[in-house]
Amino acid sequence: MTQTRIILDTDPGVDDALAILLMLASPEIKLEALTTVHGNVNVEKTTRNALALLEFLNARHIPIAAGCSLPLIKSSLHGGEVVHGASGLGGAVFPEPTIKPLHIHAVDYLIERFLTEPNEISLYAVGPLTNVALAIRKEPRIVNAIKELVIMGGAVRSGGNASPQAEFNIYEDPYAAHIVFNSGIPITLIPLDVTYKCLLTSVDVERLNQIDSPIAKFVRDVTVDYMAHYLKYEGFAGCGLHDPLTVAVVIAPELLSFEEHYVNVDISGGESTGKTFADFMKVSKKPANMKVALDVKGREFVELFIERLKKLSLLNKKEIASG
Ligand code: BDR
Ligand code: CA
């Protein structure tokens, strides 16, 4: 099987952690590296969480480069502690990781990796786009070296989750998103329009926990407060599988319905800053700059997610228990 080679730019984050689990559970994917960014919590914490998670999963061989601590222009972080918990990983507790990040900044790491092997590796970005935008500005040749850029971000027809109009990853650094969207990199966008149709419930989590494994228990611990937040503020018993849904682009693209559109981000500084909008009626006459997922077979994706995590739980049970 030819594997899709992926570098994941991430801000773990509950659903980031679930995306990492799903990638490691998917034989179609070779997860080659993680780069971390500010977002759900600060970059020190997102980096610590990434290291701790890979150590827990016996995936110490995957390198991690720490990235930007602040957005390009905004001087403060909105942050996601209220959703993802103070550590960023809800109620999951890990010991201090013994593995360390690389001695290279994430932006330089991305440039080096993509320029060394042009068009061989895909970049998945599931946090604010600061690292990716800076890499484009520092080394514009990266634009032609990234095979595909899959982004979890934006709310195209749906409302926002960070402001009434803006989705969190884009809202956190709209200027970075503006640079990335207009860069010419082949982009696939997975916005809230589809991720909110992929709801993991506590019943699903308990189905997974029929297997007595550290991974299944981790999924329960990491999601319990996240689900409580969704129930309190959004009125449903479950949580959106935002970042994990990017993995469907490789493992189950038939579950997603895509359209090609010109999509941009509002950086006007007004109330709708961070809003992503698509030129559905082609009035701007601008060529499409990305493929946008606008529908998904949500329950089928959640079932696939559970099936993959069950297999991972069984596979790694012994290894992790003795690790
Ligand atoms: C996105 O925002 C973050 O809180 C999640 O990790 C996800 O990447 C969803 O809007
Ligand atoms: Ca994320």
Side-chain angles (χ1 to χ4, degrees), residues 203-282:
V203 175
D204 296 324
V205 172
E206 291 319 309
R207 277 169 59 210
L208 178 62
N209 272 277
Q210 284 163 2
I211 301 167
D212 176 22
S213 108
I215 289 182
K217 185 175 175 306
F218 168 72
V219 174
R220 181 198 279 143
D221 292 345
V222 83
T223 53
V224 64
D225 296 342
Y226 192 53
M227 287 187 180
H229 175 89
Y230 272 84
L231 187 60
K232 186 167 172 197
Y233 293 99
E234 307 197 20
F236 60 82
C239 61
L241 288 177
H242 306 292
D243 296 345
L245 187 57
T246 59
V247 184
V249 172
V250 177
I251 68 171
E254 69 283 358
L255 299 183
L256 291 158
S257 306
F258 294 102
E259 289 182 18
E260 292 198 10
H261 290 294
Y262 173 73
V263 179
N264 212 342
V265 186
D266 184 351
I267 49 167
S268 64
E271 220 180 321
S272 56
T273 295
K275 165 76 190 149
T276 43
F277 52 93
D279 183 7
F280 288 110
M281 309 294 274
K282 314 285 176 216

Side-chain angles (χ1 to χ4, degrees), residues 9-13 15-16 40 84 126-128 152 168-169 243:
D9 190 68
T10 178
D11 61 332
D15 60 322
D16 301 74
N40 290 318
H84 296 260
V126 295
M152 190 283 126
F168 179 84
N169 289 339
D243 296 345

Side-chain angles (χ1 to χ4, degrees), residues 124-145:
Y124 276 51
V126 295
L129 289 162
T130 318
N131 289 339
V132 186
L134 264 186
I136 293 168
R137 283 294 187 257
K138 189 166 186 194
E139 178 45 275
R141 286 184 301 159
I142 197 173
V143 165
N144 296 318

